[in-house]
Amino acid sequence: MFVMLQVPWLQSCANLVQIGAPLPLLGCLGQYFEVLGTMEVLAGQYGKEIIEFPILKLNGRTMEIESTFHMYVQPVVHPQLTPFCTELTGIIQAMVDGQPSLQQVLERVDEWMAKEGLLDPNVKSIFVTCGDWDLKVMLPGQCQYLGLPVADYFKQWINLKKAYSFAMGCWPKNGLLDMNKGLSLQHIGRPHSGIDDCKNIANIMKTLAYRGFIFKQTSKPF
């Protein structure tokens, strides 16, 4: 879900939102969005480790989900989940035991991206996240700690909180819960579940798009 935008994000709300009938076709340069749910993490002495890695491929014209990538990740620095982590995320020890390492999961992400045609230079796509933390802090921080490279496609994204605030004129302090409430949408699944976060992000994006909102990249170049 990467959009290679040359248009700056900071435009007035009137320029970003079209008033009138709902539009099923997004006015953006991208063909696909890659919805990245919160990469659920395990906190430990080192810091935090990713234990869930979910992505949805969202068609930028129809706003329908076309493919899903979802894997759990074996933590390596602190292999045992804490009771707090399980209570928060619903992820139990058996769900991460024997799962691939982060390095292996990132390799499989790349394979999935290639299979879905998202690495084709003629295909425009961009990741969408609920906040900047996942791709600005968490993923590059853990990759640096483990000595892993960060793929270029993880270095640009749309922060849905910023997009929502431009469309609706208010900041969603409680993230997805506030955005669903503001759009009169039912929350899907469980809070703090990465794959359910993806589904909620996709549903919010579809609703905003059908209201005429135009999504644009919000991250700054690395």
Side-chain angles (χ1 to χ4, degrees), residues 126-178:
I126 191 166
F127 274 98
V128 182
T129 63
C130 184
D132 293 321
W133 183 80
D134 292 285
L135 293 181
K136 186 176 182 180
V137 177
M138 185 61 227
L139 181 62
Q142 188 171 353
C143 285
Q144 182 180 25
Y145 181 85
L146 297 174
L148 304 176
V150 179
D152 286 343
Y153 46 72
F154 286 128
K155 296 179 181 179
Q156 52 186 344
W157 62 89
I158 294 171
N159 178 344
L160 185 61
K161 291 181 181 179
K162 291 182 180 178
Y164 177 91
S165 69
F166 272 87
M168 303 297 288
C170 60
W171 184 260
K173 294 181 180 179
N174 294 312
L176 294 173
L177 294 175
D178 279 357

Side-chain angles (χ1 to χ4, degrees), residues 70-168:
H70 184 214
M71 294 191 72
Y72 292 102
V73 186
Q74 171 72 61
V76 294
V77 180
H78 302 283
Q80 293 298 313
L81 303 186
T82 64
F84 173 78
C85 177
T86 295
E87 182 179 355
L88 181 69
T89 66
I91 299 173
I92 62 174
Q93 189 67 43
M95 295 167 70
V96 298
D97 283 345
Q99 294 302 307
S101 65
L102 180 62
Q103 179 178 0
Q104 293 169 323
V105 169
L106 291 176
E107 290 170 355
R108 295 187 190 183
V109 169
D110 201 68
E111 293 170 358
W112 177 78
M113 297 271 288
K115 180 175 71 73
E116 294 296 326
L118 296 169
L119 301 185
D120 185 332
N122 295 317
V123 174
K124 304 293 186 181
S125 64
I126 191 166
F127 274 98
V128 182
T129 63
C130 184
D132 293 321
W133 183 80
D134 292 285
L135 293 181
K136 186 176 182 180
V137 177
M138 185 61 227
L139 181 62
Q142 188 171 353
C143 285
Q144 182 180 25
Y145 181 85
L146 297 174
L148 304 176
V150 179
D152 286 343
Y153 46 72
F154 286 128
K155 296 179 181 179
Q156 52 186 344
W157 62 89
I158 294 171
N159 178 344
L160 185 61
K161 291 181 181 179
K162 291 182 180 178
Y164 177 91
S165 69
F166 272 87
M168 303 297 288

Side-chain angles (χ1 to χ4, degrees), residues 1-220:
M1 302 184 331
F2 289 100
V3 180
M4 307 307 178
L5 290 173
Q6 297 179 351
V7 182
W9 165 258
L10 295 176
Q11 302 181 35
S12 69
C13 196
N15 289 335
L16 293 174
V17 183
Q18 301 170 1
I19 306 301
L23 300 177
L25 177 61
L26 280 180
C28 68
L29 303 180
Q31 295 163 306
Y32 292 98
F33 297 102
E34 291 130 14
V35 177
L36 180 67
T38 302
M39 294 182 289
E40 299 305 336
V41 299
L42 167 67
Q45 184 177 0
Y46 136 69
K48 296 180 178 179
E49 294 184 78
I50 296 167
I51 57 174
E52 183 181 7
F53 211 112
I55 310 172
L56 299 180
K57 177 186 176 186
L58 192 66
N59 188 300
R61 291 181 176 272
T62 66
M63 301 306 291
E64 297 296 331
I65 297 168
E66 292 190 352
S67 183
T68 301
F69 178 92
H70 184 214
M71 294 191 72
Y72 292 102
V73 186
Q74 171 72 61
V76 294
V77 180
H78 302 283
Q80 293 298 313
L81 303 186
T82 64
F84 173 78
C85 177
T86 295
E87 182 179 355
L88 181 69
T89 66
I91 299 173
I92 62 174
Q93 189 67 43
M95 295 167 70
V96 298
D97 283 345
Q99 294 302 307
S101 65
L102 180 62
Q103 179 178 0
Q104 293 169 323
V105 169
L106 291 176
E107 290 170 355
R108 295 187 190 183
V109 169
D110 201 68
E111 293 170 358
W112 177 78
M113 297 271 288
K115 180 175 71 73
E116 294 296 326
L118 296 169
L119 301 185
D120 185 332
N122 295 317
V123 174
K124 304 293 186 181
S125 64
I126 191 166
F127 274 98
V128 182
T129 63
C130 184
D132 293 321
W133 183 80
D134 292 285
L135 293 181
K136 186 176 182 180
V137 177
M138 185 61 227
L139 181 62
Q142 188 171 353
C143 285
Q144 182 180 25
Y145 181 85
L146 297 174
L148 304 176
V150 179
D152 286 343
Y153 46 72
F154 286 128
K155 296 179 181 179
Q156 52 186 344
W157 62 89
I158 294 171
N159 178 344
L160 185 61
K161 291 181 181 179
K162 291 182 180 178
Y164 177 91
S165 69
F166 272 87
M168 303 297 288
C170 60
W171 184 260
K173 294 181 180 179
N174 294 312
L176 294 173
L177 294 175
D178 279 357
M179 288 186 270
N180 277 323
K181 183 177 180 180
L183 295 169
S184 300
L185 298 174
Q186 184 71 33
H187 191 87
I188 299 170
R190 151 185 200 131
H192 305 294
S193 162
I195 191 64
D196 288 343
D197 283 355
C198 282
K199 295 173 183 177
N200 282 286
I201 291 172
N203 200 31
I204 291 166
M205 290 183 68
K206 184 175 183 178
T207 302
L208 291 176
Y210 272 67
R211 292 185 177 197
F213 184 75
I214 301 172
F215 290 92
K216 300 183 184 296
Q217 179 179 335
T218 64
S219 63
K220 297 179 180 179

